[in-house]
Amino acid sequence: MKVALLLASAAGLTVLGSAAQAADLPVKAKAIEYVKVCSLYGPGFYYIPGTDTCIKLGGYTRMWMDVNSNSMGVTPDFGPGGAQNRYGNGYTWRARQLLDVDTRTATEYGTVRTFAELAFNWTSGSYSGLGNGSTVYQSIGGVSAPNNANPGAVAGGTLGVWFAFIQFAGFTMGQAISQFSTPWGEYPGNYVELPGSSSWQPVNQFSYTANFGQGVTFSVSAQDQAPATQGGVLNVSAASAAGIAAGTYGGNDYAGTVAPDLIAALRVDQAWGLFQASLAAHDNHAAYYGASELSGHPDDKWGWAGQLALSVKNLPTGASDSINVSGVYANGADRYVFNQNMVSVFARYGGTSLAGAYQSIGIAGLSDSVFVAGSGQELTTAYGFNGAFNHNWDPHWSTSVFGGYGAVRYNSTAKGYICGAFVANLALSSGVAGCNPNFSYATVGTKTSWTPIKGLSFIAELDYSMLHQNFAGGSTVALPAQAGIGKPAALYELRDQNSIAVQLIAQRNF
């Protein structure tokens, strides 16, 4: 009995010992998936672990100050900045963090690409008068703090989804640069918004690009027109004295969108440079003449725009130098000339020597079409050009000289509508005979950049803008009081105006 118990105990110890030894044996761990370089699409791409998709992250951090302006990248030609008094900012400040996310996957049908660009901005804004000796702060980000009572809301932080698109088999679907635009858009060598070209700003689209090789491509596209290419469908019957004083010749009377803009573009992009020809068709779809659908509405009218652009690289002045130029003509599609980042109304004040006048003002307004109750739409014509010469002094210093010009022309019927409103609301001294709402706007400037190390740049830009109007010389208007900018009800001389701004930028690319 004792022997049996001893043998059983020995057997149990043997089993326990074997189990303990087994527990001490190494267990095969799951293989670690290290990030691998993806060389298929150029430098900076890596495989997402566990997939055959490559990803690249990039972007920049920017500090940006616009001196003598209430807006970023725009000279002071409207609102508190255009008032030229104590409501004008000595500077407007913006901090930006931009993040790019680029993914690509090789498939039997070609590369599938997605691209997103997110911009986080923090921008200061302006003070506006309340008409009672106090002011309200309105940030560019849209956050207001009445009488600056809430310091935490003094400046507005905003998120911009600038790009978000899918590319596959020649198709581009989502938010991307318009196929009408050039690679440089309204920035041939500058940061200020130049007239004379379509915008670099992305827009929702469904596009197809055929690649013929040797850098030759042809694109067709349907793109969202709201609000990227809407320059204003103005109901002049709804004009007011306060609106005209700010450059708005009528009520903005858009109906819901019914048709996208239709784009076609031919591009030749080679080592010597680039040539591009673009066409756009734009539907002007107005709402009602009055307060309800019983008042009726004007019929739709299609406008159009055409652009020619040229870039020449590797000039005799330097291997990396370039010249970029573009020109646009539009009828009923004026945002293709005055891009969406520019203002569509101008009201710039200045001094005067005209007896009886309090100050001078330059008034101008953009539109795609105008009409009055019971009439059809009259399309507005616009044309312009811009360009820049970009020179690299050495690997660290570069300078650009640039300029842009845009003109707006109303036909005789449209002039009659607008001038009738001018005389009725602002008591234009020269009457209908001295009224001409046509105008032109030009900006010239220069930019110098210093890049002490790769990816870090310090930039200074000087911008000078000129607003030319066509009202009869010596004409005056009786403007109403404008509490928001501190202007009294008085007689003002209509005259050309000029403005100047300086941009200072520090940017780190990664």
Side-chain angles (χ1 to χ4, degrees):
M1 184 70 174
K2 292 182 178 179
V3 174
L5 182 59
L6 183 60
L7 290 175
S9 298
L13 291 173
T14 302
V15 171
L16 289 173
S18 299
Q21 290 178 358
D24 291 338
L25 292 175
V27 178
K28 186 176 182 181
K30 185 178 179 180
I32 298 175
E33 295 187 30
Y34 294 98
V35 176
K36 297 184 297 183
V37 172
C38 174
S39 59
L40 297 174
Y41 310 109
F45 281 93
Y46 296 86
Y47 283 101
I48 299 175
T51 75
D52 57 356
T53 296
C54 300
I55 188 170
K56 180 179 181 180
L57 301 178
Y60 64 76
T61 301
R62 176 188 295 177
M63 187 289 294
W64 186 4
M65 179 183 289
D66 212 317
V67 181
N68 192 41
S69 180
N70 288 54
S71 301
M72 305 305 301
V74 179
T75 48
D77 298 303
F78 66 101
Q84 291 301 286
N85 58 19
R86 296 181 70 85
Y87 290 106
N89 281 352
Y91 63 86
T92 299
W93 214 324
R94 172 174 290 170
R96 172 183 293 165
Q97 177 60 63
L98 185 134
L99 175 65
D100 294 336
V101 182
D102 191 346
T103 71
R104 307 189 194 190
T105 306
T107 75
E108 58 185 308
Y109 301 103
T111 300
V112 177
R113 182 192 186 200
T114 67
F115 184 83
E117 186 170 85
L118 309 177
F120 302 86
N121 291 309
W122 189 267
T123 309
S124 58
S126 302
Y127 284 94
S128 296
L130 293 176
N132 60 1
S134 61
T135 59
V136 60
Y137 190 94
Q138 182 68 44
S139 76
I140 293 177
V143 180
S144 62
N147 301 315
N148 201 19
N150 182 2
V154 165
T158 60
L159 166 63
V161 181
W162 286 1
F163 291 86
F165 63 80
I166 300 169
Q167 287 182 321
F168 174 64
F171 290 95
T172 297
M173 300 159 281
Q175 183 93 341
I177 297 298
S178 170
Q179 304 302 318
F180 187 94
S181 298
T182 63
W184 58 86
E186 69 270 40
Y187 309 117
N190 51 284
Y191 283 86
V192 72
E193 299 296 330
L194 289 181
S197 72
S198 60
S199 177
W200 187 85
Q201 193 81 3
V203 60
N204 275 322
Q205 62 187 268
F206 185 87
S207 306
Y208 177 75
T209 299
N211 192 331
F212 300 105
Q214 303 298 315
V216 180
T217 58
F218 180 75
S219 300
V220 291
S221 178
Q223 70 175 40
D224 189 11
Q225 65 166 234
T229 56
Q230 292 180 330
V233 172
L234 301 184
N235 183 353
V236 182
S237 294
S240 66
I244 297 174
T248 302
Y249 297 151
N252 210 6
D253 200 17
Y254 276 109
T257 54
V258 295
D261 284 8
L262 305 176
I263 311 293
L266 173 68
R267 180 180 292 182
V268 180
D269 190 353
Q270 299 176 341
W272 59 267
L274 176 144
F275 168 79
Q276 182 171 324
S278 309
L279 285 172
H282 173 81
D283 179 41
N284 293 291
H285 184 57
Y288 299 103
Y289 293 127
S292 79
E293 58 193 32
L294 296 177
S295 63
H297 61 82
D299 293 336
D300 285 20
K301 268 198 173 181
W302 281 82
W304 66 276
Q307 175 178 246
L308 294 176
L310 179 69
S311 177
V312 181
K313 303 175 184 178
N314 301 319
L315 301 173
T317 54
S320 300
D321 292 3
S322 65
I323 294 177
N324 301 325
V325 294
S326 63
V328 187
Y329 184 94
N331 183 241
D334 292 357
R335 273 302 190 192
Y336 288 96
V337 179
F338 288 79
N339 71 82
Q340 72 181 91
N341 293 320
M342 294 188 66
V343 297
S344 59
V345 294
F346 300 86
R348 167 83 180 187
Y349 289 82
T352 183
S353 58
L354 185 66
Y358 172 67
Q359 290 179 344
S360 65
I361 184 174
I363 298 175
L366 179 71
S367 67
D368 289 331
S369 73
V370 301
F371 62 90
V372 295
S375 77
Q377 297 186 66
E378 299 295 329
L379 298 184
T380 307
T381 295
Y383 56 87
F385 60 87
N386 64 39
F389 168 60
N390 304 299
H391 175 63
N392 294 279
W393 301 99
D394 59 37
H396 303 287
W397 290 90
S398 64
T399 298
S400 298
V401 180
F402 54 84
Y405 171 87
V408 171
R409 299 292 181 260
Y410 292 94
N411 65 30
S412 58
T413 302
K415 286 180 182 178
Y417 297 158
I418 295 171
C419 290
F422 249 95
V423 173
N425 287 280
L426 300 185
L428 179 65
S429 64
S430 55
V432 173
C435 176
N436 186 347
N438 293 345
F439 74 94
S440 56
Y441 183 80
T443 299
V444 296
T446 183
K447 180 197 75 181
T448 293
S449 176
W450 175 48
T451 305
I453 61 173
K454 184 178 180 180
L456 177 64
S457 297
F458 300 93
I459 301 162
E461 178 174 309
L462 175 66
D463 307 310
Y464 181 75
S465 296
M466 298 151 282
L467 173 65
H468 172 70
Q469 55 189 18
N470 288 276
F471 294 97
S475 294
T476 61
V477 287
L479 299 187
Q482 299 172 79
I485 57 175
K487 294 297 180 183
L491 204 65
Y492 293 78
E493 178 190 7
L494 288 170
R495 200 171 74 180
D496 295 352
Q497 302 291 337
N498 305 318
S499 58
I500 192 168
V502 174
Q503 298 189 70
L504 302 173
I505 298 169
Q507 180 164 312
R508 171 72 164 96
N509 297 328
F510 61 88

